[in-house]
């Protein structure tokens, strides 16, 4: 029972490089989210998706792009990495959303360092 | 006003103490609220949901005050294993917004 799986778990990039974080869930959830967590800032929503083929901006979307081509996968891309994007990235999924959002299930996190 | 605000702490309490955390939210349309627990360098995990006036689960009690737009978490008889960061969560539009978290340290 995998739940939410993130890959890679660790990555070091140089400024200007690009990369993609993959999130996969096997719970048939409609909603998926990407958050970043920085010391003293808590979890901040980057982008989210309310279903296959849809994406929407969260609190801090600049510098990131996302795609939800398949219901079970949610990809987070960094086109030109910057040191300010050094963070821990968490993917999450939920069965429902909006005012009646249920439990979020998180992946273990991806630790990204941009030099 | 930020969507969800919490006192960051840290709260340092001895074993057996009772400790309470408060959290305020700005979206009056929110219907479901949550407390998540996050251990150091781990992912957040759901501790309690709060859908109406309150919810109790063993030593943990969460209460919701819609008029004042805040939720609280009460931990009774604190254990060493309760040491963690507690995150308050509320819906904002289609997604969930997290507070910055309140750090609890329980000592023997």
């Amino acid at each position: 029972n995998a739940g939410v799986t993130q890959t890679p778990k660790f990555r070091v990039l140089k400024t200007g490089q690009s990369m993609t974080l993959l999130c996969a869930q096997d719970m048939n959830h409609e909603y998926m989210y990407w958050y970043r967590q920085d010391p003293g800032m808590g979890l901040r929503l980057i982008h989210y998706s309310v279903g296959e083929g849809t994406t929407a901006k969260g609190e801090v979307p600049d510098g990131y792009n996302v795609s939800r081509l398949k219901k079970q996968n949610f990809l987070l891309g960094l086109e030109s990495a910057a040191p300010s994007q050094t963070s821990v990235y968490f993917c999450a999924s939920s069965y429902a959303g909006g005012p009646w959002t249920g439990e979020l299930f998180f992946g273990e996190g991806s630790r990204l360092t941009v030099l | 006003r930020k969507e969800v605000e919490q006192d960051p702490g840290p709260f340092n309490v001895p074993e057996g103490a009772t400790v309470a955390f408060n959290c305020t939210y700005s979206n009056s349309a929110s219907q479901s609220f949550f407390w998540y627990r996050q251990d150091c360098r781990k992912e957040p995990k759901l501790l309690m949901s709060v859908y109406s006036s309150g919810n109790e689960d063993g030593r943990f009690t969460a209460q919701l005050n819609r008029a004042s737009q805040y939720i609280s978490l009460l931990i009774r008889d604190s254990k060493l294993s309760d040491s963690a960061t507690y995150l308050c969560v509320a819906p904002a539009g289609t997604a969930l917004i997290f507070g910055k978290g309140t750090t609890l340290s329980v000592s023997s």
Side-chain angles (χ1 to χ4, degrees):
Chain A
N1 190 4
V4 179
T5 303
Q6 294 181 228
T7 53
K9 290 189 170 41
F10 301 92
R11 183 75 187 270
V12 178
L13 287 177
K14 294 182 179 179
T15 297
Q17 287 185 318
S18 63
M19 76 159 295
T20 300
L21 296 176
L22 171 63
C23 177
Q25 53 96 3
D26 61 2
M27 297 172 282
N28 201 34
H29 284 169
E30 289 292 337
Y31 292 75
M32 296 187 73
Y33 314 83
W34 276 108
Y35 289 89
R36 61 176 288 175
Q37 188 171 37
D38 304 291
M41 298 298 294
L43 281 157
R44 291 182 292 170
L45 183 64
I46 304 172
H47 286 280
Y48 63 97
S49 169
V50 302
E52 182 179 317
T54 73
T55 63
K57 294 180 180 180
E59 301 171 84
V60 288
D62 294 342
Y64 304 94
N65 57 75
V66 287
S67 64
R68 183 97 181 268
L69 298 179
K70 294 183 179 180
K71 184 177 184 179
Q72 63 268 34
N73 295 337
F74 195 28
L75 278 63
L76 178 70
L78 285 71
E79 291 185 347
S80 180
S84 61
Q85 294 178 303
T86 293
S87 188
V88 180
Y89 292 85
F90 286 103
C91 176
S93 70
S94 65
Y95 177 75
W100 293 102
T101 298
E103 179 179 359
L104 288 187
F105 294 83
F106 283 86
E108 294 182 336
S110 298
R111 300 180 185 280
L112 175 65
T113 301
V114 183
L115 302 175
Chain B
R1 179 182 176 183
K2 286 192 63 65
E3 299 279 358
V4 179
E5 293 195 42
Q6 294 182 249
D7 181 345
F11 285 67
N12 298 304
V13 302
E15 277 186 292
T18 295
V19 61
F21 309 138
N22 287 325
C23 167
T24 58
Y25 62 93
S26 60
N27 185 356
S28 59
S30 298
Q31 300 293 331
S32 54
F33 304 87
F34 307 89
W35 284 99
Y36 278 72
R37 170 190 169 130
Q38 186 175 26
D39 294 306
C40 187
R41 301 179 71 82
K42 298 287 188 180
E43 72 273 22
K45 292 185 178 179
L46 180 66
L47 176 67
M48 296 186 74
S49 305
V50 188
Y51 291 105
S52 56
S53 60
N55 189 14
E56 184 172 331
D57 183 5
R59 298 182 294 109
F60 298 84
T61 301
Q63 292 195 319
L64 168 62
N65 185 317
R66 290 191 184 276
S68 301
Q69 293 186 209
Y70 78 84
I71 63 174
S72 62
L73 178 67
L74 181 74
I75 304 176
R76 292 180 296 275
D77 189 23
S78 298
K79 312 291 185 190
L80 294 175
S81 58
D82 293 334
S83 296
T85 297
Y86 292 83
L87 305 170
C88 172
V89 188
T94 312
L96 286 183
I97 300 299
F98 284 73
K100 293 183 179 180
T102 299
T103 300
L104 173 65
S105 178
V106 181
S107 57
S108 58

